[in-house]
Amino acid sequence: MSETADIVVIGGGIIGSSVAYYLAKLLGISTRIVICDRGPIAGATSASCMGHLMVTPDNAQEYALTKTSVDLWRGLHEDLGGFDYNPTGALYLAETDEDQEMIPVLHKQFADNGDQADVLDQKQVREIEPGLADDIPGALFYSGDGVVLPMLAAGAMLRGAQARNPNVIVRANCAVKGIERDGDGISAVVTEHSVIATKTVVNACGIWTPDIGDMLGQSRIPIYPRAGNLAITGHHVSPIRTQLLEISYLRFAHATSGVDPTKTDADSGGHAVNMQPQTNGGCLIGSTRQFRGRNKEVNRDLLRRSLQRAQRYVPGIAQAPIVRTWVGLRPYSIDNHPLIGPWDPVPGFWIAAGHEGLGISMAPVTGLLIAQQIAGMTPSVNVAPYLPARFVS
Amino acid sequence: MSDDRTIEADVGVVGAGPGGMAAATKLAAAGLRVVVLDEGQRAGGQIYRQLPNGTNGHGLMAEPPSHDQGHELIKSFEKQTERNVELIHGATVWDAQPGRLWFEHEGASRLLRCRHMVLAPGAYDRCIPFPGWTLPGVMTAGALQVMIRGFGVVPGKRALVVGSGPLLLPTVTSLLGAGVEVVAALEASSRWQALRALPAVALHAARRREAFWYLKQLSRARVKLQWGWTVFACEGDGRVQRAIIGKVDRSGRPRRGTERTIECDVVGAGFGLVPSIEIGLRLGVASQFAATRGGHYLVVDAEQRTAVATVFAVGEICGIGGAEVASAEGELAAASILREEGGAAIDPAVVARARSERRAADSMLRAFAPLPGLHELARPDTIVCRCEDITKLAAGQAAALHGESMRAIKVGCRAGMGPCQARICGPSLQAMATDNTACTMDLPVVQVPLKPVSSETILTAPE
Ligand SMILES: Cc1cc2nc3c(=O)[nH]c(=O)nc-3n(C[C@H](O)[C@H](O)[C@H](O)COP(=O)(O)OP(=O)(O)OC[C@H]3O[C@@H](n4cnc5c(N)ncnc54)[C@H](O)[C@@H]3O)c2cc1C
Ligand SMILES: Cc1cc2nc3c(=O)[nH]c(=O)nc-3n(C[C@H](O)[C@H](O)[C@H](O)COP(=O)(O)OP(=O)(O)OC[C@H]3O[C@@H](n4cnc5c(N)ncnc54)[C@H](O)[C@@H]3O)c2cc1C
């Protein structure tokens, strides 16, 4: 079978779904957009993660990107509905003196961006979150964060795309096998079911993004899987109602990793607890990080360490029934920043990937920025730091 | 960490039903030390379920002839528990590796180390959603048996029994034994389909006796088995008060226009069983699919050995077959282990009995293959996943957008993500959401814990 498309989006995770949504929104309804995933839509990392919508104030760049995106999420929920969205705010919890010292630093970062977070003492922390242990010395509360259920959100974005543009075609179980070239550019995408003639491709394959890049014979796109173990409780048992994370999480997650991601047996892994209330009254517990290739076996030791930390902060979680544990693979780019833009050596080839542990938060802005660039519009946020060009050798 | 929470045995057995009991009894009689882990409060498993005090609940309850064997089995098993068998009841096995079984028991996290293990965790009910199936008073046949036999509760006054397959009859007699009036017993398969089971029953003396016994009980209570009928819907204010019943065609599709209303306060629905294979998958045992064996079942060799060294499997986990199959296979597994332990060669009669029981069960159950048309009983707004309150419509929409695999339906609408981990909805969900008439289902992806246990249990598990 052969067909044509104006744009083919490869990968139907949260990122590909958002790209499809904003393409449908910004381009005319005569634009034929095909999005294909080799498995279920939103069945890979975007179904194995947490849904913390996190504004990161580390610097003005990141703040602009994440804040814009988290704000877009609110609008998407109002416009599209159909997915769980809960503006819980986030508590950054301190335990040690070193943690305590991070509170004013983080507070200032929010302030420097013209935003505000509240420094809480031992008593105030428990007023916001009665489920916490009574000896948590302090915390920072940021009200702008929230929680979504990513798989349903991806579905809602694709349904929203199709509602705006009947020429949006969604194909699950349709793996891309190759890309045909026309000179420097692209002439077609070969899937397991058809050949789709197109000049424009968006590669949104998460940890598999480099595999699609390889089909073009380019230098390997530097994205590596970074494993995280998660546990979920049964319903109506969550002792907490706010998104919680250890403040030391920032040191641990948002710095570039000191470990070589290609040496998959060298990384003993790390953890900082992240606890998330679910709409059904369950509680999702993370979050560990380890480079060990595409291995999805739960690491009992790391899982236990995060359960232990969870119990330390929220003693009531000890008796909660755990119904399932699993591993998700974060798409870590070598400098820990996403790739959002054209891959210059191949005209028409775009990348939207490498969001590590912030892909859910950054999905709307990523979709918007890709669509704006493809449509020739001025991007709402400065994309320069995120252009894949930084990796073209 | 090794402490009193870790125990050792020559053989660990999961499940104290007929399969597990038969294996344990024989192994212990030969001098091996056996630990049996079971979630229930007494030995017996599903079929010979007993009250905590060791009776079956209702003094006047009549028992089919096969239960004599069951009682013999329980007796000899319990005799062994005074010697070489330790039965740990109330034990939930939540993780397994060859040689190691992790379980939660009375709130403590414990580990059984064993040289061999026998998996006999049985089966669970296949649920077919229909409007009103979530009303209080509507139960699976299995849940009814647990109530009546395991807790001695009388579930109501007027019961309707619906479903398909050999479990219908014991459900009726248990209700009668508990003093409940059975207002109708509806078998969805047609009499002609069911006749295919006849040779298997007629040629097998024990099964023949059993069938006659059941039919006698039914006729004495004036309960007529109605072939080709099922429940279309249950209605009531806060709990079931009446059922709409009707005829179905040969594929199980409801024939609208044949409806009748029947007053009742209990509905027992038994549409067959599904092997409880999670523990086997976790251990890396291979599985196969056959609709007539209840779905995915574990693959074993002619001596009940799985391809994973030291792991044996018996009974429903190797395909639905009933108590006789389970106990015969349990004995065979024990013989295989004894031989591996340097004992005598396996008695060919033990092998022959296991094989002939399995053959008889297979040919009987071929007559009661799942009926795909029954999936049309549910309306678009009927809940199909009870844990997450997902409707048939939502499941269908998820399949249409996210893909037709079990996993796609799950991520597309959350069906199967709750505490039951798709044990209840899974077996019919995928076929229903995708109009799949072969009633196939993807192999579930098994994760720890195999059953819900506390965070503390996982955290403090001995290694
Ligand atoms: C444990 C954990 C916790 C996390 N917590 C958070 C959080 O709280 N907040 C947050 O913002 N982020 C979080 N993340 C990060 C977030 O989940 C990811 O960044 C995001 O899901 C990545 O989305 P994606 O669309 O790029 O990848 P994916 O969801 O993996 O999508 C890529 C898709 O490409 C498809 N594909 C691959 N190869 C092909 C091919 N050849 N042809 C067609 N399709 C193909 C795949 O099947 C897949 O569906 C977490 C991640 C993990 C693992
Ligand atoms: C609900 C139900 C009702 C039935 N009613 C009848 C009937 O009336 N007549 C009839 O002929 N057949 C009936 N059967 C079929 C009958 O159960 C089987 O033929 C027979 O009991 C199979 O024996 P088994 O040893 O394979 O498993 P079972 O008898 O099912 O025993 C398995 C045991 O393992 C335990 N177990 C399972 N998983 C775990 C775990 N993870 N940790 C610890 N323990 C675990 C269970 O609690 C159970 O006690 C019924 C089956 C079910 C499921």
Side-chain angles (χ1 to χ4, degrees):
Chain A
M1 194 175 104
S2 71
E3 52 182 330
T4 61
D6 294 294
I7 304 170
V8 175
V9 179
I10 311 176
I14 196 79
I15 300 294
S17 300
S18 172
V19 168
Y21 174 75
Y22 284 100
L23 285 171
K25 191 166 171 172
L26 300 192
L27 302 174
I29 61 159
S30 59
T31 315
R32 187 174 152 94
I33 301 165
V34 177
I35 172 164
C36 40
D37 198 293
R38 68 162 177 205
I41 293 298
T45 303
S46 301
S48 321
C49 56
M50 303 179 83
H52 180 186
L53 304 182
M54 187 178 193
V55 176
T56 56
D58 316 30
N59 57 54
Q61 286 296 350
E62 285 253 350
Y63 178 80
L65 195 71
T66 52
K67 179 79 166 97
T68 306
S69 204
V70 171
D71 287 345
L72 285 172
W73 268 118
R74 188 173 314 117
L76 286 169
H77 181 249
E78 279 160 17
D79 293 350
L80 303 174
F83 61 94
D84 307 27
Y85 168 85
N86 190 355
T88 60
L91 270 171
Y92 291 83
L93 304 170
E95 185 189 25
T96 62
D97 291 346
E98 193 189 1
D99 294 346
Q100 285 267 55
E101 283 161 21
M102 289 179 76
I103 291 180
V105 177
L106 188 60
H107 180 258
K108 180 164 182 303
Q109 285 177 355
F110 277 110
D112 289 347
N113 287 301
D115 205 337
Q116 190 209 322
D118 303 317
V119 179
L120 307 178
D121 66 17
Q122 192 165 341
K123 185 158 159 280
Q124 292 165 321
V125 180
R126 294 243 301 167
E127 276 160 17
I128 289 208
E129 184 51 83
L132 282 166
D134 57 13
D135 62 344
I136 307 300
L140 191 78
F141 180 68
Y142 177 65
S143 63
D145 282 7
V147 175
V148 291
L149 194 63
M151 322 69 99
L152 299 195
M157 287 197 273
L158 290 177
R159 290 194 178 98
Q162 290 180 318
R164 282 176 179 274
N165 178 348
N167 288 311
V168 173
I169 315 292
V170 181
R171 297 225 172 100
N173 304 315
C174 180
V176 169
K177 299 286 194 195
I179 295 177
E180 287 176 5
R181 305 291 294 275
D182 174 15
D184 282 344
I186 290 168
S187 61
V189 168
V190 182
T191 77
E192 58 183 311
H193 304 303
S194 71
V195 176
I196 310 170
T198 187
K199 289 183 165 28
T200 309
V201 169
V202 182
N203 177 2
C205 283
I207 65 162
W208 298 277
T209 300
D211 300 355
I212 302 293
D214 288 352
M215 293 173 187
L216 296 164
Q218 295 287 306
S219 58
R220 193 152 169 93
I221 300 168
I223 292 176
Y224 304 90
R226 197 181 195 188
N229 297 270
L230 294 178
I232 183 107
T233 70
H235 301 171
H236 312 300
V237 294
S238 176
I240 57 161
R241 55 193 191 200
T242 322
Q243 163 71 48
L244 306 181
L245 60 171
E246 287 183 278
I247 199 162
S248 56
Y249 182 89
L250 300 174
R251 275 199 305 269
F252 153 71
H254 294 160
T256 50
S257 161
V259 183
D260 178 349
T262 61
K263 296 219 167 62
T264 54
D265 47 6
D267 185 7
S268 60
H271 62 98
V273 83
N274 182 324
M275 298 176 76
Q276 184 172 95
Q278 306 290 294
T279 318
N280 60 23
C283 181
L284 186 53
I285 305 168
S287 165
T288 67
R289 281 179 158 79
Q290 188 180 27
F291 291 110
R292 47 169 198 176
R294 292 176 180 177
N295 180 353
K296 292 193 75 182
E297 181 74 15
V298 170
N299 178 325
R300 287 171 80 107
D301 186 44
L302 280 181
L303 174 72
R304 278 198 202 153
R305 282 196 264 163
S306 43
L307 291 178
Q308 189 172 30
R309 297 305 289 164
Q311 253 170 261
R312 191 278 164 257
Y313 286 104
V314 182
I317 205 75
Q319 294 316 316
I322 302 292
V323 304
R324 198 173 174 90
T325 63
W326 68 88
V327 165
L329 300 174
R330 302 178 186 84
Y332 172 84
S333 87
I334 197 76
D335 64 1
N336 210 5
H337 291 296
L339 289 75
I340 307 173
W343 183 259
D344 301 308
V346 181
F349 188 67
W350 299 74
I351 300 178
H355 299 74
E356 212 269 347
L358 286 172
I360 308 305
S361 311
M362 294 179 176
V365 79
T366 301
L368 178 66
L369 292 175
I370 292 281
Q372 287 171 329
Q373 293 178 80
I374 289 179
M377 299 160 71
T378 312
S380 321
V381 175
N382 175 17
V383 288
Y386 308 109
L387 293 177
R390 67 191 191 275
F391 296 124
V392 174
S393 51
Chain B
M1 192 168 31
S2 177
D3 50 34
D4 57 358
R5 297 180 304 136
T6 302
I7 48 174
E8 312 236 342
D10 296 318
V11 186
V13 177
V14 180
M21 284 193 297
T25 306
K26 180 151 183 174
L27 289 162
L32 293 192
R33 190 178 137 65
V34 184
V35 172
V36 182
L37 305 175
D38 195 289
E39 264 190 309
Q41 289 312 318
R42 288 288 301 198
Q46 294 296 356
I47 175 165
Y48 309 133
R49 190 175 280 285
Q50 315 173 72
L51 282 187
N53 68 9
T55 67
N56 70 9
H58 300 275
L60 298 175
M61 187 180 258
E63 297 278 25
S66 66
H67 282 217
D68 294 344
Q69 283 162 40
H71 293 301
E72 281 306 309
L73 184 55
I74 293 180
K75 245 201 278 164
S76 41
F77 175 75
E78 288 184 338
K79 205 149 79 221
Q80 287 299 335
T81 59
E82 290 154 21
R83 300 170 47 205
N84 288 334
V85 174
E86 182 182 355
L87 168 63
I88 304 183
H89 48 75
T92 303
V93 176
W94 62 271
D95 196 10
Q97 281 171 14
R100 292 196 283 182
L101 291 163
W102 283 271
F103 63 103
E104 184 178 76
H105 180 234
E106 294 175 348
S109 192
R110 303 185 64 187
L111 168 63
L112 168 61
R113 288 173 176 279
C114 49
R115 274 186 290 127
H116 306 275
M117 63 174 76
V118 178
L119 307 179
Y124 43 92
D125 292 280
R126 173 188 299 277
C127 292
I128 303 284
F130 50 84
W133 74 296
T134 55
L135 275 176
V138 183
M139 280 170 270
T140 64
L144 254 184
Q145 295 279 33
V146 171
M147 260 178 109
I148 298 174
R149 307 177 70 98
F151 293 97
V153 171
V154 178
K157 291 197 172 68
R158 291 167 55 84
L160 168 68
V161 176
V162 302
S164 178
L167 285 189
L168 231 55
L169 299 175
T171 308
V172 173
T173 55
S174 288
L175 283 160
L176 294 173
V180 182
E181 181 193 350
V182 176
V183 291
L186 312 180
E187 164 60 60
S189 296
S190 73
R191 201 191 294 269
W192 306 114
Q193 280 164 303
L195 273 178
R196 288 194 284 164
L198 199 59
V201 176
L203 294 174
H204 190 288
R207 281 174 200 268
R208 201 167 53 224
R209 247 193 333 271
E210 194 85 345
F212 278 124
W213 184 88
Y214 279 117
L215 295 177
K216 204 169 81 200
Q217 298 296 314
L218 261 65
S219 85
R220 190 178 289 162
R222 294 173 191 283
V223 178
K224 208 173 115 228
L225 196 57
Q226 284 173 260
W227 301 93
W229 282 76
T230 200
V231 61
F232 285 11
C234 285
E235 296 173 352
D237 190 7
R239 63 166 292 126
V240 61
Q241 290 167 321
R242 67 201 154 268
I244 317 297
I245 64 171
K247 288 187 185 171
V248 296
D249 70 12
R250 280 187 163 210
S251 77
R253 192 173 296 119
R255 286 164 58 183
R256 307 282 173 198
T258 61
E259 291 91 340
R260 272 181 25 207
T261 302
I262 222 171
E263 306 278 320
C264 55
D265 59 358
V266 185
V267 175
F271 289 96
L273 299 174
V274 184
S276 180
I277 60 170
E278 293 82 2
I279 190 169
L281 298 182
R282 172 71 186 154
L283 284 156
V285 177
S287 64
Q288 269 175 6
F289 183 90
T292 50
R293 287 232 175 144
H296 297 281
Y297 61 95
L298 298 189
V299 177
V300 290
D301 70 8
E303 293 165 1
Q304 304 305 130
R305 210 178 281 106
T306 71
V308 178
T310 76
V311 178
F312 295 74
V314 307
E316 310 290 39
I317 193 172
C318 304
I320 300 309
E324 290 76 17
V325 179
S327 57
E329 292 184 347
E331 251 191 73
L332 175 55
S336 307
I337 291 174
L338 290 173
R339 198 198 42 205
E340 288 190 10
E341 289 280 307
I346 302 176
D347 178 355
V350 171
V351 182
R353 183 164 87 89
R355 294 291 77 83
S356 91
E357 289 294 352
R358 180 58 82 182
R359 261 198 313 276
D362 280 348
S363 55
M364 176 156 93
L365 288 173
R366 258 198 296 279
F368 298 101
L371 300 169
L374 293 174
H375 294 145
E376 292 180 21
L377 291 172
R379 303 276 187 180
D381 63 350
T382 303
I383 298 285
V384 293
C385 165
R386 299 179 78 145
C387 296
E388 303 285 346
D389 279 344
I390 306 301
T391 61
K392 182 183 184 185
L393 178 68
Q397 287 172 337
L401 183 73
H402 289 254
E404 300 205 326
S405 63
M406 190 67 192
R407 186 162 159 76
I409 297 166
K410 177 172 160 175
V411 302
C413 68
R414 291 194 60 98
M417 285 200 188
C420 92
Q421 290 288 297
R423 282 185 186 85
I424 296 174
C425 62
S428 50
L429 181 67
Q430 192 175 3
M432 186 182 303
T434 61
D435 292 328
N436 162 350
T437 52
C439 292
T440 52
M441 155 193 189
D442 295 338
L443 196 62
V445 176
V446 173
Q447 296 281 13
V448 170
L450 298 168
K451 300 235 169 127
V453 291
S454 74
S455 168
E456 178 79 4
T457 289
I458 297 176
L459 182 57
T460 59
E463 280 304 326

